[in-house]
Amino acid sequence: MTELSQRTAVPPAEVPVKGRWRQLSLLGGTMLVDSTEASLVSSLFPLIRQSLGVSLGALGTLTAAGKIVGAFTGPFWVWAAQRWSRKGVLVVATGLWGVWGVAAGFAQNFTQLLVLYTILAAGYAAAHPIITELIGDLFGGSSRGRAVGLVFGAVSLVSAGIGPLKGQLAGVDEGWRWGLWGVGTFNILLGIGLWVWFRDPGRGASEQQFSGLDRATREAHSKLTRAKVLSLLRIRTLVLLLVSRLLSAHLLVGTFGVVFLVDEYGFSTQKAAIVLLPFGIGYFLGTLLGGFAADWATRRSPRHGSVAVLQSAQFAFAVVAFFGTQFDYGHIALFGVFFALMGAAQGVNPSLNRPMVMAVTPPELRGAAFALYVSVFEAIAWAAFSLGAGFLGDVVGLRTVFLWALVILMTVNGAFLTLLYRPYAEDVARVQRDLDARRVRALEADN
């Protein structure tokens, strides 16, 4: 048996981190509030459009501006977390930063809303890369899929329950303002809670090779340098996943789903917002399914299992999106069924691609890897799709935009992921060899 096959015959072992599920719940709460405030503008955009007198393209501008600024501030927050502390950055950037959400609720015109929402997004860009890095330190390779799935699933499920409630703000005078005020205030309170109760386990805490080593030894390689960050671009699996992120047009569902049903099929905002509940439930179930599928696939076929499940999810989404967006079913309940299925197919993704990124990068570079993956490449994709959908939607209609983006491009994305099968196994083995070597050096230094 070759060295590579020996290294990938079983999934990497892990060290159970004390209190990891409690810490995970705090991180999930932070992501929940951030995602709720970020989605509030898109779900209530029909009201904002009426209140401020803007066109559909304004939604694309708002979303794109938030993602573009995140492409710059996301890596900055990761760097700040390395120099200061991950906990401190999360408290400030994703907790107390909610004050800008409160301020956005007072916007008197679109320019003010754009500026304040962009500042808000600049802070929230810290959440995803740092929280995902922390999950990698709390959970090892055999349970990361479930942990990521639970966080993303719980966030989606609670957001789904809140979604129709947000839609009911349409019946309140200037209801979108009350939404921003409420969520912003809650975010500030959550930041205080994070400061009081969260405990950072330290980088590499869940890795079997670091068992018995003190935190200082585990974090000896944690200092970020330009050479280390650039080395990420030599990891073939990561590069392919970055390109795939640029093809991930399913992001449009969360941004334009409600306004799509309002504009294309004539539903009211209140009624269209109902689909957010089945979409969120579907997403929740998809993340759970994806989490268990990721861990199961890793055990059954460490070399190819995760890639196969991830690829299948892209094809499944394209099929469901075709039937869920291209036909008028005349009743919101039927659209709800298809939005639930689209949510399930989309929800599988984070439970697979996040653990895959963790598996091919060393602990000290996971934050930087997720800054690239989410803050930069996902931001570029989201900004491009949002701008394109916003302006093209005014010209050709969102139904045509959804056909090309959600059906055709997602099929292309699924085919593209075929390129992952060979390099993924090799990159996982390389990381495990590196961690083994570090443990040997650390033990020799102690002796």
Side-chain angles (χ1 to χ4, degrees), residues 116-245:
L116 292 170
Y117 182 75
T118 302
I119 295 174
L120 179 68
Y124 287 173
H128 207 127
I130 295 177
I131 288 175
T132 314
E133 179 190 23
L134 281 164
I135 293 174
D137 293 327
L138 288 167
F139 296 86
S142 62
S143 59
R144 282 173 184 155
R146 281 170 290 165
V148 173
L150 283 172
V151 168
F152 281 82
V155 168
S156 178
L157 184 62
V158 177
S159 296
I162 296 174
L165 297 179
K166 290 188 294 185
Q168 299 315 304
L169 290 173
V172 179
D173 186 37
E174 299 290 280
W176 64 274
R177 299 183 187 276
W178 287 99
L180 286 170
W181 293 334
V183 177
T185 300
F186 189 75
N187 215 20
I188 294 170
L189 295 176
L190 186 63
I192 296 173
L194 197 67
W195 175 257
V196 174
W197 289 299
F198 182 70
R199 299 292 180 268
D200 189 333
R203 291 177 175 83
S206 66
E207 304 293 346
Q208 184 272 336
Q209 291 92 339
F210 293 162
S211 175
L213 303 181
D214 59 66
R215 182 164 178 168
T217 302
R218 286 191 279 111
E219 298 195 348
H221 295 265
S222 64
K223 183 178 180 180
L224 274 181
T225 64
R226 180 179 300 179
K228 285 184 178 181
V229 173
L230 291 176
S231 71
L232 289 172
L233 298 179
R234 294 195 294 270
I235 302 173
R236 290 177 294 168
T237 296
L238 180 60
V239 171
L240 290 172
L241 287 172
L242 293 176
V243 175
S244 174
R245 207 64 189 158

Side-chain angles (χ1 to χ4, degrees), residues 41-312:
V41 169
S42 60
S43 60
L44 293 180
F45 180 75
L47 304 181
I48 297 173
R49 178 169 57 182
Q50 182 180 6
S51 175
L52 301 182
V54 294
S55 68
L56 180 60
L59 177 57
T61 301
L62 277 171
T63 305
K67 294 301 178 181
I68 290 171
V69 72
F72 294 96
T73 59
F76 165 77
W77 291 122
V78 170
W79 172 82
Q82 289 272 349
R83 295 291 300 272
W84 183 23
S85 78
R86 294 186 290 191
K87 174 180 175 178
V89 168
L90 286 178
V91 169
V92 172
T94 70
L96 303 182
W97 208 265
V99 67
W100 294 105
V102 175
F106 290 99
Q108 298 302 304
N109 54 56
F110 179 71
T111 300
Q112 292 178 10
L113 179 62
L114 178 62
V115 171
L116 292 170
Y117 182 75
T118 302
I119 295 174
L120 179 68
Y124 287 173
H128 207 127
I130 295 177
I131 288 175
T132 314
E133 179 190 23
L134 281 164
I135 293 174
D137 293 327
L138 288 167
F139 296 86
S142 62
S143 59
R144 282 173 184 155
R146 281 170 290 165
V148 173
L150 283 172
V151 168
F152 281 82
V155 168
S156 178
L157 184 62
V158 177
S159 296
I162 296 174
L165 297 179
K166 290 188 294 185
Q168 299 315 304
L169 290 173
V172 179
D173 186 37
E174 299 290 280
W176 64 274
R177 299 183 187 276
W178 287 99
L180 286 170
W181 293 334
V183 177
T185 300
F186 189 75
N187 215 20
I188 294 170
L189 295 176
L190 186 63
I192 296 173
L194 197 67
W195 175 257
V196 174
W197 289 299
F198 182 70
R199 299 292 180 268
D200 189 333
R203 291 177 175 83
S206 66
E207 304 293 346
Q208 184 272 336
Q209 291 92 339
F210 293 162
S211 175
L213 303 181
D214 59 66
R215 182 164 178 168
T217 302
R218 286 191 279 111
E219 298 195 348
H221 295 265
S222 64
K223 183 178 180 180
L224 274 181
T225 64
R226 180 179 300 179
K228 285 184 178 181
V229 173
L230 291 176
S231 71
L232 289 172
L233 298 179
R234 294 195 294 270
I235 302 173
R236 290 177 294 168
T237 296
L238 180 60
V239 171
L240 290 172
L241 287 172
L242 293 176
V243 175
S244 174
R245 207 64 189 158
L246 296 178
L247 301 174
S248 298
H250 54 54
L251 301 171
L252 285 176
V253 175
T255 305
F256 284 86
V258 172
V259 72
F260 164 75
L261 293 173
V262 171
D263 287 1
E264 294 294 329
Y265 297 121
F267 293 105
S268 67
T269 300
Q270 293 98 319
K271 184 167 286 188
I274 291 174
V275 301
L276 296 177
L277 178 58
F279 178 83
I281 293 174
Y283 192 97
F284 169 70
L285 295 175
T287 56
L288 293 183
L289 174 64
F292 283 104
D295 295 339
W296 174 83
T298 299
R299 291 192 296 269
R300 289 297 300 270
S301 178
R303 293 174 60 85
H304 301 138
S306 295
V307 178
V309 178
L310 181 63
Q311 184 179 38
S312 299

